[in-house]
Amino acid sequence: MRFGCYLDAEPLRVRRQAESCARKLAQTRSDIYFISSCKRLDLIPKGLELKNPLRSTLPQYPAADRICRKASEKLRNLTLRNAYSRQKSLEGQLRTQQRTLDGVINDPVTATRIREFITHSYRESLSQKFVLKHKKLMELNQRYGLPEIHVPKNRPVRQKDLVNTAGNFETGTSIFNLSSKPLTTSQSKALERGLSFCPSKTLDRVQLCSDYEQFARRIRLKEFFGEQSEGNTWSRPINYKPSTWTPPKGRNMYVDAFVEKARQYLNSFLQDQRHTRVEKNIDEAESKAIYDLKYDTSIVVKPADKGGATVILNRESYTKIALEQLKADTAFYCTLRKDPVDIGVDERVTY
């Protein structure tokens, strides 16, 4: 991520130290999550389990197994306490580096972007490490032969997981608004879900039946004009109006059977969905915010090249940058003398 200017040696060193400290803090908190989950489920991590040295010579000696188990539990609890102490120390170091970074950077815009970048890196690292710890926890659970546990695969970052640095890290986000339009709270929450988020939607029965009718019509048209369409070089004019005619039934028994079977399956599916309730995964305010962002022609919402962030730009600025890149690369792009959309069907233009 570029911050609009090059940093001097001292601010760059402090920024890198803050990023390293944030990654260490994410690792420590994921370790706390893993070890505390093992303690809650009465599991011993593989690296903290003490082996019974008498198992090979005296397999029928349960007292040694109990002693090793007790020692492993104490080692696990000690590791958890050390992780909490390390977390407290890293939080203090991060606050100190944050204050130092604010002191060596004079530009407030650059300082704000650096804080947002560090917070976003911390969140991404924390989410990835939680996924890895969850996999280890599931493997450990299977090794002990216990019932399956329900732990979220991608544990969301809670507010208390963020570092309290006098109002700097709480406002960290993965959204970079470079446009002139301010975002509302609902729009920010909707964008925080990511551009690949899919809101739940109720079944549109009318649209589904309409799609089925169009599908059946295309099949009958293909059967009706299948042999005649081979070798046909007819070109469709621009002012062509599509026809709604459908070939009659009874021409092909296999097509009729397939269309009828599809209709029966659709009716059965609609009957099963009558008593199915779709749980909404988004509230009305966020749904309206997504609609407003989608049809707002003054901005462009794009994913960042790296880091998984979401960037919001003015459409004019986005178009200007795109045109500058096209004009700069003359080896692959050139300006057309005419608009290809306005060219007739039979007209051929050589560029």
Side-chain angles (χ1 to χ4, degrees):
M1 177 180 177
R2 298 181 179 178
F3 303 105
C5 63
Y6 292 99
L7 299 178
D8 296 334
E10 183 64 18
L12 184 61
R13 182 185 64 82
V14 177
R15 181 180 69 86
R16 289 177 177 175
Q17 289 180 355
E19 292 177 7
S20 177
C21 188
R23 288 193 294 267
K24 292 179 181 178
L25 183 60
Q27 178 65 44
T28 303
R29 284 181 169 165
S30 63
D31 292 339
I32 292 175
Y33 160 74
F34 175 70
I35 300 176
S36 59
S37 299
C38 291
K39 182 179 179 180
R40 177 172 54 86
L41 298 171
D42 197 19
L43 302 176
I44 303 297
K46 189 175 181 180
L48 302 177
E49 184 179 7
L50 300 179
K51 301 295 183 180
N52 182 8
L54 302 178
R55 182 171 297 176
S56 58
T57 57
L58 298 174
Q60 304 297 331
Y61 194 69
D65 292 336
R66 290 195 298 268
I67 294 174
C68 293
R69 173 73 181 187
K70 197 69 175 179
S72 300
E73 292 177 355
K74 291 184 178 180
L75 182 60
R76 179 195 61 194
N77 298 338
L78 178 61
T79 305
L80 183 60
R81 288 196 297 269
N82 292 337
Y84 276 115
S85 301
R86 186 167 62 253
Q87 174 186 240
K88 186 177 181 180
S89 175
L90 289 173
E91 289 177 354
Q93 295 178 16
L94 196 57
R95 294 190 189 96
T96 303
Q97 292 168 358
Q98 182 67 34
R99 289 192 294 267
T100 305
L101 190 63
D102 294 338
V104 297
I105 297 180
N106 299 324
D107 187 8
V109 177
T110 303
T112 302
R113 291 188 177 182
I114 291 177
R115 287 195 297 268
E116 291 179 352
F117 176 74
I118 294 175
T119 305
H120 176 65
S121 301
Y122 164 76
R123 286 189 172 190
E124 289 292 327
S125 178
L126 187 63
S127 299
Q128 294 174 3
K129 293 183 185 302
F130 268 126
V131 173
L132 296 178
K133 295 299 182 181
H134 168 71
K135 291 181 179 179
K136 290 184 179 180
L137 191 61
M138 296 300 296
E139 294 175 358
L140 185 64
N141 187 66
Q142 293 177 0
R143 185 164 65 91
Y144 275 83
L146 299 178
E148 183 179 358
I149 56 177
H150 298 282
V151 183
K153 293 185 178 180
N154 193 357
R155 177 182 179 273
V157 181
R158 298 171 295 183
Q159 187 67 25
K160 66 180 183 179
D161 290 332
L162 301 179
V163 184
N164 185 5
T165 55
N168 293 330
F169 271 64
E170 297 92 348
T171 58
T173 177
S174 60
I175 303 172
F176 297 95
N177 187 8
L178 304 181
S179 66
S180 58
K181 176 182 178 180
L183 297 178
T184 62
T185 304
S186 301
Q187 291 175 348
S188 300
K189 290 176 61 179
L191 290 174
E192 281 286 352
R193 296 178 179 271
L195 299 182
S196 60
F197 172 74
C198 296
S200 59
K201 188 177 180 181
T202 57
L203 179 64
D204 191 348
R205 300 174 180 272
V206 177
Q207 183 63 36
L208 187 59
C209 294
S210 176
D211 294 340
Y212 162 75
E213 294 295 338
Q214 294 179 8
F215 172 70
R217 179 175 178 270
R218 287 195 299 268
I219 292 179
R220 295 188 183 278
L221 287 174
K222 185 65 177 177
E223 185 273 332
F224 188 86
F225 294 104
E227 298 179 357
Q228 303 178 15
S229 61
E230 296 181 359
N232 189 4
T233 59
W234 174 77
S235 59
R236 178 179 298 179
I238 297 178
N239 57 353
Y240 171 77
K241 294 183 179 180
S243 174
T244 58
W245 177 77
T246 303
K249 300 179 181 179
R251 288 179 47 85
N252 191 311
M253 58 180 298
Y254 300 104
V255 173
D256 294 340
F258 176 78
V259 172
E260 180 64 21
K261 192 67 177 179
R263 185 187 63 81
Q264 294 177 3
Y265 178 79
L266 177 61
N267 292 336
S268 176
F269 174 76
L270 293 177
Q271 289 292 334
D272 296 339
Q273 294 295 321
R274 290 180 59 184
H275 305 288
T276 302
R277 182 179 179 181
V278 179
E279 296 292 339
K280 292 186 177 181
N281 57 357
I282 191 172
D283 55 15
E284 295 295 335
E286 293 184 33
S287 179
K288 184 179 182 301
I290 293 177
Y291 180 85
D292 295 339
L293 290 172
K294 180 179 179 180
Y295 293 99
D296 191 350
T297 57
S298 63
I299 60 174
V300 176
V301 182
K302 292 290 183 180
D305 294 338
K306 295 181 180 179
T310 303
V311 183
I312 305 173
L313 302 169
N314 289 324
R315 184 172 293 275
E316 296 180 358
S317 303
Y318 181 78
T319 306
K320 181 180 179 181
I321 295 174
L323 291 176
E324 289 178 355
Q325 294 180 359
L326 291 176
K327 292 179 180 179
D329 192 356
T330 57
F332 298 96
Y333 304 101
C334 64
T335 305
L336 301 180
R337 296 194 301 268
K338 293 183 179 180
D339 188 356
V341 179
D342 299 334
I343 299 176
V345 177
D346 298 331
E347 185 178 357
R348 299 292 183 267
V349 180
T350 303
Y351 298 100

